[in-house]
């Protein structure tokens, strides 16, 4: 949940519990219905595991987004601020076991997969995207052509030496948002291709075209800014275009 600290400041501890439980009772069953299970509750966030297929995780994320939209309609009638959620998905091996001591034990997972999943979720804040998916997950999707998505480039996240290709999946967004992103996806992709080819002047024209249609498109804004900076400062011989993310 984005901005949870601000939301919680206006609520008592009891109201906070009621708020979180009202939210979780809407999304918990969605995860279960897509063959997943919640491994951990973390206040304003959750960690869910899907052991059968990446498609299950993605379908659950889309349905969660739609459920939050309906919930926000409810909240609006009561004069409450809408919720914004970000979901990150990554695929890979992990080990589940018992963690703790003789006095307190709990089931937990240990894996780099979990850490990268957390970084994918963090990227939803950076790009202001609803769902960010790693390339590893994209490769595991059995029906990726059934979804609406676009590449967001390559990022290197905190604590990792390897860069990742990441993607935004937006089927859970509003119908208007989906249509606009589909309308501009050719220009956005062309802009990315030119950007990584170091043709920043031409890349900027395509990102500008995207912003003419979707002024709030954060990804296009980010790359347009990078184009301007690179045109002024130039780039080194070993420039790769990887977005460096030093914050979670």
């Amino acid at each position: 949940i984005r901005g949870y600290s601000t939301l919680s400041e206006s609520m008592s501890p009891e109201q906070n519990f009621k708020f979180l439980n009202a939210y979780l009772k809407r999304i918990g069953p969605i995860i279960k219905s897509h063959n997943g299970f919640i491994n951990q509750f973390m206040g304003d966030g959750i960690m869910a595991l899907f052991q059968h297929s990446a498609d299950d995780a993605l379908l659950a994320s889309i349905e969660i987004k739609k459920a939050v939209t309906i919930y926000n309609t409810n909240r609006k009638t009561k004069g409450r601020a809408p919720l914004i959620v970000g979901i990150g998905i990554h695929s890979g091996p992990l080990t589940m076991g018992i963690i703790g001591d003789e006095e307190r034990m709990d089931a937990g997972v240990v894996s780099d997969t979990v850490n990268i999943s957390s970084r994918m979720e963090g990227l939803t804040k950076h790009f202001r995207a609803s769902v960010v998916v790693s390339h590893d997950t994209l490769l595991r999707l059995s029906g990726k052509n059934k979804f609406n998505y676009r590449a967001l480039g390559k990022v290197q996240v905190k604590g990792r030496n390897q860069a990742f290709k990441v993607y935004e999946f937006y089927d859970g967004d509003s119908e208007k948002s989906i249509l606009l992103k589909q309308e501009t996806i050719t220009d956005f992709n062309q802009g990315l291709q030119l950007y990584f080819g170091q043709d920043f002047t031409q890349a900027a024209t395509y990102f500008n075209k995207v912003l003419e249609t979707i002024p709030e498109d954060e990804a296009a804004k980010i790359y347009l800014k990078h184009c301007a900076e690179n045109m002024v400062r130039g780039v080194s011989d070993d420039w790769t275009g990887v977005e460096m993310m030093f914050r979670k």
Side-chain angles (χ1 to χ4, degrees):
I1 302 174
R2 295 283 168 260
Y4 174 68
S5 297
T6 302
L7 284 169
S8 65
E9 284 175 0
S10 62
M11 296 185 284
S12 67
E14 182 182 2
Q15 289 172 327
N16 266 288
F17 272 105
K18 287 182 178 178
F19 162 68
L20 289 172
N21 285 327
Y23 168 69
L24 292 169
K25 79 176 184 180
R26 286 169 170 80
I27 67 170
I30 293 173
I31 291 168
K32 185 177 180 181
S33 70
H34 289 285
N35 305 308
F37 66 94
I38 296 174
N39 171 255
Q40 189 176 357
F41 293 103
M42 298 174 287
D44 60 340
I46 62 168
M47 179 169 66
L49 307 178
F50 297 82
Q51 58 187 4
H52 297 296
S53 77
D55 295 67
D56 285 338
L58 186 53
L59 288 167
S61 72
I62 292 167
E63 195 171 332
I64 286 170
K65 278 291 300 175
K66 292 178 179 178
V68 169
T69 298
I70 295 170
Y71 183 35
N72 280 338
T73 302
N74 227 0
R75 288 177 61 81
K76 186 177 180 180
T77 62
K78 299 177 182 179
R80 295 170 182 166
L83 300 187
I84 300 173
V85 300
I87 302 170
I89 305 176
H90 180 58
S91 302
L94 57 81
T95 299
M96 174 174 281
I98 302 300
I99 298 176
D101 56 29
E102 293 179 355
E103 300 294 329
R104 173 78 165 84
M105 292 184 290
D106 201 355
V109 293
V110 177
S111 173
D112 191 47
T113 301
V114 175
N115 296 331
I116 297 173
S117 298
S118 175
R119 300 298 185 266
M120 292 300 107
E121 181 271 322
L123 289 173
T124 65
K125 289 179 269 188
H126 179 67
F127 289 111
R128 293 188 186 176
S130 299
V131 181
V132 171
V133 172
S134 71
H135 189 64
D136 292 288
T137 296
L138 182 78
L139 292 176
R140 293 172 187 245
L141 291 172
S142 63
K144 64 182 179 182
N145 293 329
K146 296 184 296 185
F147 301 103
N148 288 307
Y149 69 96
R150 64 180 184 175
L152 290 176
K154 296 177 282 189
V155 300
Q156 184 176 332
V157 296
K158 183 178 179 180
R160 299 287 300 181
N161 295 321
Q162 180 186 2
F164 294 89
K165 290 180 181 179
V166 294
Y167 305 83
E168 175 191 10
F169 280 73
Y170 48 88
D171 280 304
D173 293 0
S174 68
E175 289 186 13
K176 180 181 177 181
S177 178
I178 293 171
L179 287 172
L180 290 176
K181 284 181 179 176
Q182 284 301 95
E183 183 182 327
T184 58
I185 194 166
T186 300
D187 288 331
F188 187 86
N189 288 341
Q190 187 65 31
L192 274 186
Q193 184 177 340
L194 289 164
Y195 177 79
F196 286 108
Q198 299 187 28
D199 189 345
F200 304 118
T201 303
Q202 283 299 312
T205 63
Y206 283 99
F207 291 126
N208 265 318
K209 286 176 68 177
V210 173
L211 290 169
E212 286 172 4
T213 303
I214 317 175
E216 67 278 9
D217 192 317
E218 189 66 19
K221 287 181 185 178
I222 288 170
Y223 280 109
L224 181 61
K225 180 183 177 183
H226 289 341
C227 285
E229 292 171 344
N230 293 337
M231 281 188 280
V232 172
R233 301 174 187 171
V235 295
S236 62
D237 292 338
D238 61 351
W239 183 88
T240 61
V242 171
E243 184 87 348
M244 305 298 290
M245 304 297 300
F246 297 110
R247 292 186 301 172
K248 291 185 179 180

